[in-house]
């Protein structure tokens, strides 16, 4: 109480002091066309003192005697700073914010204007993010920034979104960039609503990232959340939208109808020479096959993914500013009913951000964010059923499951992967239900102290509490219940809780040498800092078996106590600690020549003493040609021309903690008769010699601006070498599965171009065009003496074997398999009276097809070794998942009250491994599974005379029956990966189109609205591609980064329409 | 002033930070212990022993691959689901290639056996370093257990692959890659290990751990020594000395290592077997032994029990009956699911037994369970191991899943006796050896018949042949036969003889000339089994029996039914001598970065 009084008294004194010497300034703020700007901000620079303009664009502001400059701002227009110099009337014309060179860019621990940048940074502002109503911010970034590729791996509402900066350097480790939100390092930015974000800056070259040292090697994504609007005492914003969506490109995969399904089963039975067990018990005698013609079928794809989804989003924020400081308080809600049965997503966010002036030389920043995400549904490949490596995507069930009711499909099953893999699709969705609730609290505070003029100290502290609860239900049709459960008579539930607490303390000291030098030609600034982060985490896992078999998922979650606890584990990870010291110095002469240098030293607890300190220096120079006196003649058309070069190193310690020493921990098991747990030292071998992965980047950039901002942009050329890669190296057969090692190096080289062009701008109309394109080339330079590293995507369990290979001198993401050679013709065989015998000199693929499937019409593969047989030795590189070019472009503008925007993104030269196509056109070892309609009997090769049901043994008759067919027969012993399944997945996508209308101010003023806008948006309206699957932007086998670009049973994406409303009071 | 204070303060803070940095940055999991803590503590060390056996239970380890696939085909056991060119038939048919669809796995038996070995190496080193086994007998027992388990895994590795890498110390970054080593080096080490382990281990029933068959006891270790000694000094295909891992074709021969000769190893093995004699017993009734095994009642070890060691699967783990039980096409005993019967005895085994030998009807079963819970004849081509029956799983009925909880027997006392008989006969002739054979025989055929039988075995050769046959009769379905045939250098002759015998049976000639081809069958009183009688020409079905005419002679080679030729020929498709061992599979070769190469004519990766 006393303290409060004291503060009030002090404040009174301060106010009294400032009141004693004040002047009043007035004026009118207009736009270029002379229209008055209503609601423009007018603020005394360096204070929070300000006002907003009225209906006529007029303002009156009382300013203290010592005020130097006034800052005028208006949304969408460039800020202007005008020196007061004793004037009492200041009229200002605000111009469109057309030069992207004037953007403020966030670099490590500071901000600079883009025109003063030394390194390579891509940025997106809130206007671009807000345009597109998306579930997550990452989605909105797609195609917006040169060299930043954003891949939404699947269509589910909580899908992984892979962000890669300049290709990414790691081989086995996640190449995700470091995410920093308001200075705090976080794991993901997906739980932040786009309405709360002011800007996103991506640091790409090592000069920019080196200041972040650790994990900077794969780029740094810096998110800045919104602060209060300047000059507004109170501002209230409300945005909402509602939208509907349906499955996109739904005709890409269509299952066969009853007749074709039954004929497929029949031919399979004939080829396997066992109609009595493969065909007759299910479908009866051949004589009755006509019964299936035209029989009604279940469209399981439609049943599972055919829902019309809906999205509702509403966010609300109040912000204010005054002499004491400014603050903003926001709440956002998003609810999403996805297209898959039972799949939902909701998110609630609460945020507070404030800046308070505590004295003339001190201020406090405070920032608290809360988010809660609830994801329901059987989900996508991300949630695997225990025990099967072939994934748990729902699509495969929907296509493969019998389209007509069969007597029994579980009878006679003896392959492990059949459990949970061929259950009725809707039942299977219900039996694999899951719920994920993620809550995050993030609180940051900073104390700013201007120790003396130009010397600022900032002490920041932050805390993040993260908790993710996963409930995974296992119904009666799942592999887990059939095999692993301790009580197979009931259903089971796995309950997992992941806890993570992260602390951060950062202390930085900034000094601007302006006063010391006393010469405006020289600018020298210095940053020194120290930072410490500690992450503590643990994972609690409970398995409860034997819940009542009649329970559905919510009942299992609510009545967990009615089952039998099978296992409990609570594992505490070693703390992940990072201690850093860093500094940066920038010098420029007459805004023409700049040099900068940074150094960061990071100590990580993930490495042992002696290896744990990494030093990451970098340096950059720039020359602004346009500021040279001899270039003054070009000022009519040239705004800016700047050359930049930087070189630097950044590090990466992106491996799990605790790899250094052998540590024994206990593991729960139901597999042993002796005990319910055992002790072991892990399946990943320790390695005491681990140290930092380092990347070395050269970056040359040219920034340019022409014709008073009509065209501006930049070109970047880079080479990024990553060395001592941290690789999770497979060593099976030695005693462990793998070991983390520093091994080998990779190189990414590329070119990036960013352009921005306000083509037309006028009072009532404008058109802006922007775009970017990036080329990246990736090479593995060295694998530490090894020839190659192979990897399996495991989508077909172990049938396919290695289907990816990393080799020295070749890019990462190389797909490895056979070369397709059409199909066998009757001329390749001779009928010997009882079977087809392969002719001399014809390549024999029975080794991979299975001997009984070697028939006319079987798929044929090239024999590269020339030994007359197709064997594993005939595999070669047949595709690559990495794109050559990525980018995007957008149009935006306005026409009277209407505004519009369209965003496109594209990738060129990337290939997709279409595993769906293999799975849905191959019998493999299964029976009673359906295929896609490409395998309809009249489209593919058949060896059956459908008039009699007998196998055709006459070559001429076979040729006549199959005349003109190019699709081989689906009969193979196991899945085979060939270049037929590798498809060019280049695409151009219209991500979104928005048309909005802002109500005239004359109308809105009457209800005290500053702005009211309604809009409609269409998302994912079209995707031009040759790719035959659902969507070319796909990545489903994400257990290791070695297997990118597999389209296996992905959750399909959707097309949506949204209508929304933005209100500002 | 303020500035100076701040500068001093900040320098002080930084200096302090730098000096205590290393301490600050050391980080260990609170949920983990280091080796010094673990191996000084008895119960934690015991937990690491369970870590070794856990390696048996992983999906594609002993559980899903090694136990279901090692050991057939032989002259007494074969794969029932023969399909030419199928990856599964390739394994049984000696045509298993490095890309075999069942075994070429990164989590297959080979990598997981080495996982078990690494865990055992850590336990052995840890107890030696921190457990004070010289003064703590309870720790010495655990050391003995770890040494024995490691020896057992190496025995299984060399049995399946011949020469494999020798890893007897825990891995370091430098020793991750190792080429194949001559199996002689491994044999000598594991024999030494057992010499050390045996004194540490108590006899069955002597203390709590030794009273369980899922824990190692002295008699098991002694028996394992004899088993390894027999294999090490026996025949097998071996690359020329010094040529292991060079792509050598190999020849069938004995080891040239003087320490691995019969005259060195047999006396020692016999001494161990004699020491083991009487420390366990045969279960009085052969059928009851197997009933208890199926009924989860084989976990007790002691002087009165026969089982010495089992694979320690938990109640919901293991695929033994799932794989080998009498076929159920979906009867309620297998919970409505088609299970069992993947392999079975050759039809000819039934005829090898003497009249009145109890073991015949326990071991050889020619009926199956149908979906509607009935028993019916399975056809002459498909026989099942009657030692394994779903209907005997009373305490814990089989639920139809992929795991059944059956704990496969690794060694039982009968093997101690028959190994003693074989070695004693080899060293000293049949005189002293007879009592061991007679003891086994007596349970099966009665004391008098056994005594008479044994008395008739006059020569060393005759006695050996009797032991060789007795091992077939006693252990059919326990998959000891393949290793026996290899060490006796009889694999191919035995398989050829089996093919010929099957032809004879098909044609009702030779040993089967007295049969009509008809059978008579009748359900037992309890409805749980079926008696099948092979009739002689002119015989009528006894009262209460149904007649099934031409049971043996009804076959159709083109339709692949009955006793069809392709299947008889499929006993081996590849060369059983050249391919008596499995190849190292591609995945393992790839991950060995070129260190491991195949011998015996198998392909190597490019």
């Amino acid at each position: 109480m006393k303290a409060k009084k004291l503060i009030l008294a002090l404040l009174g004194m301060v106010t009294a002091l400032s009141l004693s010497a004040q002047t009043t300034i007035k004026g009118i703020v207009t736009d270029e066309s002379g229209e008055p700007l209503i609601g423009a901000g007018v603020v005394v620079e360096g204070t929070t003192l300000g006002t907003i303009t009225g209906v006529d664009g007029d303002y009156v502001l009382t300013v203290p005697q010592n005020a130097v400059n006034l800052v005028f701002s208006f949304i969408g227009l460039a800020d202007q700073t005008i020196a007061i110099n004793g004037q009492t009337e200041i009229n200002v014309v605000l111009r469109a914010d057309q030069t992207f060179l004037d953007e403020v860019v966030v670099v490590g621990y500071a901000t600079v204007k883009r025109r003063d940048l030394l390194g390579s940074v891509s940025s997106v502002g809130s206007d671009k993010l807000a345009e597109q109503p998306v579930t997550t911010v990452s989605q909105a970034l797609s195609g917006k920034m040169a060299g930043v590729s954003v891949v939404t791996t699947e269509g589910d509402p909580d899908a992984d979104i892979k962000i890669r900066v300049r290709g990414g350097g790691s081989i086995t480790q996640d190449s995700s960039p470091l995410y920093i939100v308001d200075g705090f390092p976080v794991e993901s930015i997906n739980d932040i609503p786009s309405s709360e974000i002011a800007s996103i800056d991506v640091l790409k070259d090592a000069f920019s990232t080196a200041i972040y040292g650790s994990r900077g090697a794969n780029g740094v994504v810096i998110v800045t959340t919104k602060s209060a609007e300047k000059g507004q005492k109170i501002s209230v914003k409300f945005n909402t939208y509602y939208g509907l969506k349906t499955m996109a490109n739904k005709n890409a995969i269509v299952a066969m109808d009853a007749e074709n399904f039954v004929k497929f089963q029949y031919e399979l039975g004939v080829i396997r020479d066992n109609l009595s067990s493969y065909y007759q018990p299910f479908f009866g005698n051949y004589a009755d096959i006509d019964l299936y013609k035209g029989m009604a079928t279940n469209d399981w794809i439609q049943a599972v993914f055919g829902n019309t989804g809906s999205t509702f989003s509403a966010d609300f924020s109040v912000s204010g500013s005054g002499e004491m400081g400014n603050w903003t308080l926001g709440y956002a809600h998003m609810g999403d009913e996805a297209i898959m049965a039972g799949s939902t997503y909701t998110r609630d966010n609460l945020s507070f951000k404030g800046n308070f002036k505590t004295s003339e030389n001190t201020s406090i920043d405070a920032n608290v964010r809360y988010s809660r995400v609830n994801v329901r549904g059987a989900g996508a490949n991300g949630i695997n059923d225990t025990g099967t490596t072939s994934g748990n995507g729902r699509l495969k069930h929907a296509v493969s499951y019998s389209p007509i009711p069969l007597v029994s499909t579980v009878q006679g099953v003896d392959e492990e992967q059949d459990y949970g893999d061929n259950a009725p699709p809707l039942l299977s969705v219900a039996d694999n239900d899951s719920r994920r609730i993620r809550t995050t609290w993030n609180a940051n505070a900073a104390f700013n102290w201007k120790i003396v003029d130009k010397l600022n100290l900032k002490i920041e502290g932050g805390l993040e509490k993260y908790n993710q609860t996963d409930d995974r239900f296992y119904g009666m049709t799942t592999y887990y219940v059939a095999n692993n459960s301790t009580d197979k008579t009931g259903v089971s539930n796995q309950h997992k809780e992941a806890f993570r607490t992260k602390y951060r303390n950062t202390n930085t000291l900034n000094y601007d040498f302006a006063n010391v030098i006393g010469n405006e030609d020289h600018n020298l600034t210095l940053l020194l800092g120290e930072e410490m982060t500690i992450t503590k985490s643990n994972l609690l896992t409970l398995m409860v078996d034997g819940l009542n078999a009649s329970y559905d998922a919510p009942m299992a979650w609510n009545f967990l106590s009615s089952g039998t606890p099978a296992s409990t584990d609570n594992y505490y990870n070693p703390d992940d600690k990072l201690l850093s010291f860093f500094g940066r110095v920038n010098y420029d002469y007459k805004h023409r020549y700049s040099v900068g240098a940074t150094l960061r030293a990071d100590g990580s607890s993930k490495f042992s003493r002696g290896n744990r300190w990494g030093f990451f220096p970098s340096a950059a120079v720039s020359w602004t040609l346009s500021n040279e006196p001899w270039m003054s003649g070009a000022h009519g058309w040239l705004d800016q021309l700047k050359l930049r070069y930087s070189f630097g190193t950044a590090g990466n310690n992106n491996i799990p903690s605790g790899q250094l020493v052998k540590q024994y921990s206990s593991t729960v098991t139901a597999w042993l008769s002796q005990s319910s747990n055992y002790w072991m030292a892990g399946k990943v071998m320790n390695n005491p010699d681990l140290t930092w992965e380092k990347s070395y980047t050269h970056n040359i950039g040219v920034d340019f601006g022409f014709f008073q901002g009509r065209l501006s942009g930049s070109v970047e050329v880079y080479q990024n070498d990553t060395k001592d890669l941290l690789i999770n190296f497979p060593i099976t057969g030695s005693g462990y599965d793998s070991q983390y090692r520093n091994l080998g190096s990779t190189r990414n080289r590329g070119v990036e171009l960013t352009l921005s062009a306000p083509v037309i701008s006028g009072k009532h109309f404008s058109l802006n065009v922007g775009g970017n394109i990036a080329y990246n080339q990736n090479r593995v330079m060295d694998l530490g003496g090894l020839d190659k590293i192979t990897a399996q995507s495991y989508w077909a369990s172990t049938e396919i074997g290695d289907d990816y290979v990393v080799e020295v001198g070749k890019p990462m993401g190389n797909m490895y398999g056979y070369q397709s050679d059409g199909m066998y013709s009757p001329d390749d065989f001779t009928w010997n009276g009882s079977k087809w015998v392969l002719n001399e000199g014809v390549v024999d693929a029975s080794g991979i097809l299975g001997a009984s499937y070697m028939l006319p019409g079987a798929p044929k593969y090239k024999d590269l070794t020339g030994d007359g047989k197709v064997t594993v030795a005939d595999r070669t590189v047949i595709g690559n998942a990495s794109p050559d070019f990525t980018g995007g472009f957008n149009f935006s503008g306005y026409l009277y009250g209407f505004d519009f925007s369209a965003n496109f993104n594209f990738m060129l030269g990337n290939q997709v491994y279409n595993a769906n196509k293999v799975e849905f056109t191959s019998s493999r070892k299964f029976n009673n599974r359906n295929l896609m309609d490409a395998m309809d009997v009249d489209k593919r090769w058949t060896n059956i005379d459908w008039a009699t049901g007998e196998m055709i043994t006459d070559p001429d008759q076979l040729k006549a029956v199959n005349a003109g067919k190019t699709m081989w027969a689906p009969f193979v012993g196991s899945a085979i990966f060939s270049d037929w399944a590798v498809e060019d997945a280049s695409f151009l996508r219209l991500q979104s189109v928005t048309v909005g209308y802002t109500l005239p101010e004359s109308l809105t003023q009457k209800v005290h609205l500053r702005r009211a806008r309604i809009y409609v948006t269409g998302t994912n309206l079209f995707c031009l591609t040759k790719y035959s699957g659902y969507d070319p932007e796909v990545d489903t086998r994400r257990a290791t980064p070695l297997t990118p670009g597999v389209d296996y049973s992905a959750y399909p994406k959707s097309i949506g329409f949204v209508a929304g409303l933005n209100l500002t009071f | 002033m303020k500035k100076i204070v701040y500068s001093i303060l900040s320098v002080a803070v930084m200096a302090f930070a730098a000096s205590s940095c290393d301490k600050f940055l050391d980080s260990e999991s609170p949920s983990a212990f280091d080796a010094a803590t673990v191996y000084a503590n008895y119960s934690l060390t015991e937990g690491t022993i369970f870590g070794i056996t856990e390696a048996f239970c992983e999906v594609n380890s002993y559980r899903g691959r090694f136990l279901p696939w090692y050991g057939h085909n032989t002259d007494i056991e074969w794969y029932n689901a023969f399909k030419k060119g199928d990856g599964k038939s390739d394994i049984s048919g000696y045509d298993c290639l490095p890309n075999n669809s069942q075994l070429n796995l990164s989590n297959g038996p080979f990598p997981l056996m080495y996982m078990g070995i690494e865990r055992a190496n850590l336990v052995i080193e840890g107890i030696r370093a921190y457990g004070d086994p010289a003064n703590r007998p309870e720790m010495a027992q655990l050391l003995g257990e770890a040494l024995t388990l490691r020896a057992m895994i190496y025995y299984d590795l060399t049995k399946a692959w011949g020469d494999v890498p020798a890893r007897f110390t825990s891995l370091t970054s430098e020793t991750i890659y190792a080429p194949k080593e001559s199996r002689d080096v491994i044999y000598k080490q594991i024999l030494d290990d057992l010499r050390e382990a045996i004194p540490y281990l108590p006899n069955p029933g002597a203390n709590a751990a030794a009273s369980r068959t899922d824990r190692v006891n002295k008699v098991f270790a002694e028996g394992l020594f004899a088993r390894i000694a027999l294999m090490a000094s026996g025949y097998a295909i071996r690359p020329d000395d010094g040529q292991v891992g060079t792509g050598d074709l190999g020849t069938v021969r004995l080891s040239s290592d003087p320490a691995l000769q019969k005259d060195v190893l047999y006396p020692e093995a016999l001494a161990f077997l004699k020491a083991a004699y009487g420390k366990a017993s045969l279960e009085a009734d052969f059928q009851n032994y197997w009933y208890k095994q199926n009924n989860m009642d084989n976990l007790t070890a002691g002087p009165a029990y026969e089982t010495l060691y089992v694979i320690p699967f938990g109640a919901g783990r293991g695929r033994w009956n799932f794989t080998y039980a009498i076929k159920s096409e979906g009867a309620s005993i297998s919970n409505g699911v088609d299970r069992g019967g993947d392999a079975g005895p050759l039809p000819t085994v039934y005829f090898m037994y003497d009249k009145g030998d109890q073991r015949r009807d326990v071991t050889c079963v020619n009926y199956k369970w149908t979906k509607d819970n009935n028993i019916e004849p399975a056809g002459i081509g498909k026989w099942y191991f009657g030692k394994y029956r779903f209907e005997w799983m009373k305490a814990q009925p089989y639920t139809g899943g992929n795991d059944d909880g059956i704990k496969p027997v690794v060694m039982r006392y009968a093997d101690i006796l028959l190994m003693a008989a074989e070695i004693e006969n080899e060293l000293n002739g049949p005189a002293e050896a007879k009592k061991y054979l007679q003891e086994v025989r007596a349970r099966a055929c009665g004391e008098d018949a056994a005594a008479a039988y044994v008395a008739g075995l006059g020569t060393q050769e005759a006695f050996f042949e009797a032991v060789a046959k007795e091992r077939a009769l006693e252990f059919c379905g326990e998959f000891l036969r393949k290793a026996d045939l290899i060490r006796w250098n009889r694999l191919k002759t035995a398989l050829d003889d089996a093919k010929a015998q099957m032809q004879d049976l098909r044609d009702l000639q030779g040993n089967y000339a007295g049969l009509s081809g008809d059978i008579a069958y009748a359900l037992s009183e309890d409805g749980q089994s079926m008696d099948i009688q092979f009739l002689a020409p002119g015989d009528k079905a006894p009262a209460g029996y149904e007649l099934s005419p031409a049971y043996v002679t009804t076959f159709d080679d083109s339709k692949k039914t009955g006793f069809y030729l392709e299947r008889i020929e499929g006993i081996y498709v590849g060369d059983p001598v050249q391919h008596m061992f499995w190849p190292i599979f591609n995945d393992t070769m790839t991950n060995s970065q070129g260190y491991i190469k195949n011998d015996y004519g198998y392909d190597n990766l490019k």
Side-chain angles (χ1 to χ4, degrees), chain A residues 399 777 944:
Chain A
V399 178
Q777 182 204 56
I944 300 289

Side-chain angles (χ1 to χ4, degrees), chain B residues 138-150:
Chain B
E138 78 279 13
M139 297 305 284
Q141 183 176 345
L142 294 180
L143 176 59
E145 205 168 339
L147 287 165
T148 309
L149 287 171
R150 182 172 74 180

Side-chain angles (χ1 to χ4, degrees), chain A residues 416 483 572 575 609 671 736, chain B residues 26-27 29 118 314 319 402:
Chain A
E416 296 189 9
N483 293 282
Y572 287 83
D575 292 351
R609 293 183 180 199
W671 293 352
Y736 296 91
Chain B
D26 288 336
S27 170
S29 167
E118 169 68 7
R319 309 185 78 178
N402 277 330

Side-chain angles (χ1 to χ4, degrees), chain B residues 237-240 243 246-251 577-578 599-602:
Chain B
I237 191 164
R238 294 166 182 269
D240 289 348
Q243 296 302 303
T246 61
D248 197 283
L249 273 178
T251 48
V577 172
Q578 191 65 50
D599 295 311
Y600 330 122
Y602 286 115

